[in-house]
Amino acid sequence: MPCPRRLAPALLSIAGTFFAASISAAETPPFDTAELDRSAAPCVDFDRFVNARWLAAHPIPPDQVRWGVFDQLTQESLRVQRDIAEHAAGAPASAGGDVATHQIGLLYRSGMDAAAIERAGLAPLQSSLDAVARLKTPEDTAAFLARAAADGQPFVFAFDVQGDFRDARRQIGAAAPAALGLPSRDYYADARYARERRAYRDYMIRLFQLAGDDAPDRAADDALALETSLAEVTLSPEAARQPANQFHAVRAAEADRLTPHFRWAPFLTAQGLPATAEFSLAPPAFFAGFDRLLATAPPAQWRAYLRFHLLDDAAPYLAQAFQDASFDFHGRALAGQQQDKPRWQRVLGTVNAQMGEAMGQLYVARTFSPEARQRAQVLVTRLLAALKARIEALDWMSGATKARALAKWRDFVPKVGYPDHWRDWSGLELSAGGYYANVRALARFNHRDAMARVGQPTDRTRWSVLPQTVDAFYRAEDNSITFPAAILQPPFFYANGDDAINYGGIGAAIGHEATHGFDDAGRQFDGQGNQADWWTAEDNARFNSRADALVRQFNAYAPLPDHPDVHVNGRLTLGENIADLGGVHIAYDALQAALKAAPAEANRRIDGYTQDQRFFLAFARIWRARMREQQTLVYLASNPHAPPHERIVGTLGNVPAFAQAFQCRTGDAMLRPVKDQVRIW
């Protein structure tokens, strides 16, 4: 699928986005010790000890780029969602029927109608392609970008709604870079990615040929030349994740001084906003660079760039030849995927991308009870209490900063299972035919919904993720932690499992998300979601010293034997590494508190393992995964998470309780010398 072009991520997650499963606790034992690789020493490589046998028995399927716990749950989820979508597609419309269910049925049915999609050919896209062909001047291009954004199809930059970093009580419009089709700016110049650049150019040529262009090679060169120039003014992934680069409040007159060839009042008006509205334009250097290119790049380059991205965005919804071309680049060449997913899975991906909350409401009704939600809420409360105790016990933080940290802790907004109020889909009109037309109608509908929230008070109870997502999230701009229904199930959470397994699984995930509120980026926001410096200079220096040590640890990892020069980027992954480490400590403390209240349980061994050992077994299990080499390269270049193996061994090497649980000795690979261990939260 095409690389998404969107705002810098506002959500920090434990894993990335995967869809949900439906597995009952009775189907799987809390931990099957037969999976353990007893030829491996836990103090040498704990990932291998816990996960190697399972990974060897579960190779990556040909239509996947990675395989592990999250991916297994994804497949289970898709089966549930397929049944929901097919039932919706087959149900007749009725005056009293549910609007959202009917619209899901129309979208799914149109996506599954391969014959109609083939017959339509390029016709659904033709008017947009014709509009691009007419662009002659910078003013033409600027007007096209404004119209496309209003249509829910942004090019070069995205325009969305977000919290005001200065006053989190209100929502504000926000423009942010979304110009690149490759994973990061490095892909356009670094010699390591020459193969990917060639494949990208070949893909451009192929799409231009399918669209009937007379000179596809020249068009590809023009498109790639402009995109390379846009890459030069795009921040690196590690710089882009810093809050200082994510918000810059302006009004149209000030923005026009930064981009004299791109006028913002007409753009805002096109989005349905007042021409005088304040909005964020960040980072300014990108938009200044974009403006220079708008004025100086040949019009042919702009036409080729926009034509390519129209085709690239539409390819998954067009005739099979376009779908094949898209997969051959985005899946096969870029990520190493061997074969495309079946059509029904790809169409469900569209349903979730465009109508995910509607699908989530139906999913929750089938798979997640109010009783399960209540049990999970209790667990979240216990984990947050453990975080509070750790903050209070910190020996490196002054009392003044600690008081502010505890104030932020008190303002957390936990969201568990599913929203209390579901989105209203009234006014959405889809058709039984015309897959691409339905996708575009939904994009317009969703963009209008986002723009309607600009200037409104912030609703801190509103969900920004889907209940059917197997993941968990922290959102700095409203200081919320979200645990969707889909992750509150085995192997993360067992309704009838022992505490050690639950705290090592979902407990570590809960602790991870709560720690994001205090990682290198999250700590720059207060409890309401305002960007604020609540640190003394001395505490700031102490935090940075500890964070820098964690950066050095992860910089040392080179996950790919065939690419020994490609390392984990410790600065890019710092926030996730801090959260992993904090999450383990918080969950372990919460387990000890639970065991203290049940002394008989504290000394009980299950399958020969102590409660502490089972806690760490459960933690390592949730990260079991293998990725294809090409996908790992993409991951290392652009993803804020370290690869699974490094997350396990890199984190636990800093946890003394792990070494004690497995009696690790000096010299063991999993036991870092005390002087080198990092402890932040």
Side-chain angles (χ1 to χ4, degrees):
M1 298 290 286
C3 299
R5 300 196 305 280
R6 56 172 73 102
L7 291 172
L11 292 166
L12 299 169
S13 73
I14 191 169
T17 300
F18 299 90
F19 294 117
S22 179
I23 303 175
S24 72
E27 290 178 5
T28 308
F31 197 94
D32 184 0
T33 56
E35 293 178 347
L36 298 175
D37 183 353
R38 300 182 191 278
S39 69
C43 294
V44 174
D45 186 338
F46 196 61
D47 180 29
R48 180 183 167 194
F49 174 70
V50 176
N51 297 322
R53 289 191 66 191
W54 187 93
L55 291 172
H58 297 82
I60 303 174
D63 64 346
Q64 302 289 323
V65 297
R66 54 162 282 161
W67 194 250
V69 167
F70 288 92
D71 313 282
Q72 269 195 321
L73 295 181
T74 299
Q75 296 307 304
E76 292 296 328
S77 166
L78 290 172
R79 283 189 276 274
V80 174
Q81 293 183 51
R82 183 184 191 181
D83 187 63
I84 292 171
E86 290 184 346
H87 182 269
S94 62
D98 176 64
V99 172
T101 302
H102 177 58
Q103 301 296 334
I104 285 175
L106 291 173
L107 177 60
Y108 184 78
R109 193 188 318 160
S110 67
M112 293 301 294
D113 192 346
I117 293 170
E118 288 296 321
R119 287 194 301 271
L122 198 59
L125 195 60
Q126 195 58 57
S127 63
S128 295
L129 293 173
D130 291 344
V132 167
R134 291 192 294 268
L135 302 180
K136 306 294 184 184
T137 67
E139 293 77 15
D140 292 343
T141 302
F144 174 84
L145 295 177
R147 291 194 304 272
D151 201 41
Q153 190 172 31
F155 297 101
V156 183
F157 61 91
F159 195 84
D160 209 336
V161 59
Q162 69 172 52
D164 187 334
F165 280 20
R166 305 156 306 168
D167 183 359
R169 294 171 299 179
R170 71 171 188 145
Q171 296 290 289
I172 192 171
L180 309 184
L182 290 172
S184 74
R185 59 176 294 166
D186 289 345
Y187 273 72
Y188 295 84
D190 194 314
R192 291 179 298 179
Y193 304 114
R195 185 194 68 84
E196 286 81 0
R197 284 195 297 277
R198 289 193 298 270
Y200 193 38
R201 181 179 180 274
D202 290 344
Y203 173 51
M204 290 179 171
I205 292 171
R206 188 171 173 186
L207 286 189
F208 288 136
Q209 289 173 332
L210 289 171
D213 285 39
D214 294 331
D217 292 73
R218 185 174 63 199
D221 289 338
D222 281 342
L224 189 56
L226 181 61
E227 192 164 318
T228 300
S229 296
L230 288 166
E232 292 171 357
V233 297
T234 299
L235 293 179
S236 66
E238 56 267 35
R241 65 175 290 271
Q242 291 304 314
N245 294 321
Q246 295 176 358
F247 187 85
H248 177 66
V250 295
R251 294 190 189 275
E254 183 181 353
D256 287 351
R257 289 194 289 273
L258 184 67
T259 63
H261 303 94
F262 188 92
R263 299 298 179 180
W264 287 94
F267 178 87
L268 295 173
T269 301
Q271 313 315 309
L273 302 178
T276 57
E278 191 176 31
F279 63 101
S280 171
L281 190 69
F286 169 81
F287 285 95
F290 151 64
D291 186 75
R292 287 194 300 271
L293 290 169
L294 187 61
T296 61
Q301 287 189 2
W302 276 105
R303 288 194 297 271
Y305 170 83
L306 293 170
R307 183 174 176 83
F308 165 70
H309 281 290
L310 272 169
L311 292 165
D312 182 39
D313 284 356
Y317 318 111
L318 299 178
Q320 191 62 47
F322 286 93
Q323 295 178 48
D324 290 343
S326 179
F327 167 73
D328 284 343
F329 173 70
H330 292 291
R332 197 188 309 277
L334 201 57
Q337 189 176 339
Q338 294 176 2
Q339 68 183 45
D340 206 354
K341 299 179 188 298
R343 177 181 289 274
W344 66 268
Q345 289 191 18
R346 287 178 274 137
V347 175
L348 280 179
T350 303
V351 172
N352 276 288
Q354 302 290 351
M355 293 193 69
E357 189 170 320
M359 174 62 79
Q361 187 171 3
L362 299 173
Y363 170 86
V364 165
R366 286 198 182 196
T367 63
F368 195 70
S369 68
E371 293 76 19
R373 189 190 201 196
Q374 185 175 11
R375 288 195 300 269
Q377 287 169 330
V378 170
L379 195 58
V380 170
T381 299
R382 291 175 180 172
L383 268 294
L384 288 178
L387 171 58
K388 179 175 184 286
R390 287 194 72 83
I391 294 172
E392 292 172 334
L394 288 175
D395 58 6
W396 61 268
M397 180 178 281
S398 70
T401 304
K402 193 176 293 186
R404 298 292 297 275
L406 290 169
K408 178 168 186 175
W409 173 88
R410 286 191 293 272
D411 285 333
F412 269 128
V413 178
K415 302 174 184 178
V416 179
Y418 49 85
D420 291 324
H421 305 286
W422 297 99
R423 181 178 173 185
D424 181 8
W425 296 88
S426 300
L428 174 64
E429 294 185 5
L430 304 181
S431 64
Y435 186 34
Y436 183 70
N438 282 340
V439 171
R440 297 272 20 99
L442 273 159
R444 287 190 294 274
F445 184 86
N446 290 328
H447 184 67
R448 286 196 298 269
D449 179 76
M451 293 300 97
R453 298 199 305 275
V454 172
Q456 298 300 310
T458 297
D459 178 4
R460 296 182 74 196
T461 68
R462 185 179 184 276
W463 279 51
S464 299
V465 298
L466 305 179
Q468 66 270 35
T469 306
V470 182
D471 210 336
F473 300 86
Y474 173 73
R475 184 177 168 89
E477 64 185 63
D478 61 9
N479 195 31
S480 64
I481 47 176
T482 303
F483 308 100
I487 202 171
L488 299 170
Q489 60 180 323
F492 294 94
F493 176 64
Y494 294 83
N496 301 313
D498 57 294
D499 280 344
I501 294 298
N502 281 332
Y503 282 99
I506 193 62
I510 295 169
H512 173 107
E513 298 311 328
T515 303
H516 268 313
F518 302 95
D519 70 15
D520 63 310
R523 75 186 189 95
Q524 299 180 47
F525 293 82
D526 67 16
Q528 296 298 310
N530 301 299
Q531 191 173 7
D533 185 0
W534 46 269
W535 294 69
T536 67
E538 295 79 10
D539 289 330
N540 185 65
R542 294 186 190 107
F543 178 94
N544 286 333
S545 175
R546 291 164 183 257
D548 288 345
L550 198 60
V551 170
R552 290 192 294 273
Q553 284 184 4
F554 278 83
N555 279 344
Y557 290 118
L560 296 171
D562 291 341
H563 299 271
D565 59 328
V566 180
H567 287 243
V568 174
N569 184 334
R571 187 64 61 184
L572 173 61
T573 59
L574 178 59
E576 299 298 333
N577 297 335
I578 291 173
D580 281 344
L581 183 56
V584 170
H585 282 307
I586 293 163
Y588 181 80
D589 288 356
L591 172 63
Q592 301 313 305
L595 294 177
K596 186 176 180 180
E601 190 71 11
N603 297 316
R604 184 165 71 101
R605 287 177 177 258
I606 300 176
D607 297 327
Y609 289 91
T610 67
Q611 295 289 335
D612 283 11
Q613 289 173 332
R614 286 172 66 77
F615 170 87
F616 291 111
L617 293 173
F619 172 77
R621 177 176 61 176
I622 66 173
W623 294 120
R624 63 168 47 150
R626 177 184 288 115
M627 289 192 292
R628 298 192 189 280
E629 182 178 279
Q630 284 302 116
Q631 177 65 10
T632 303
L633 288 169
V634 172
Y635 210 77
L636 293 171
S638 59
N639 198 289
H641 303 82
H645 174 78
E646 285 67 34
R647 293 186 77 168
I648 295 169
V649 301
T651 299
L652 295 182
N654 289 309
V655 180
F658 166 77
Q660 294 165 8
F662 287 92
Q663 300 180 337
C664 300
R665 295 174 295 186
T666 301
D668 286 340
M670 290 292 302
L671 178 59
R672 282 196 179 91
V674 174
K675 66 179 180 62
D676 295 331
Q677 291 179 14
V678 174
R679 182 174 67 90
I680 302 178
W681 298 103

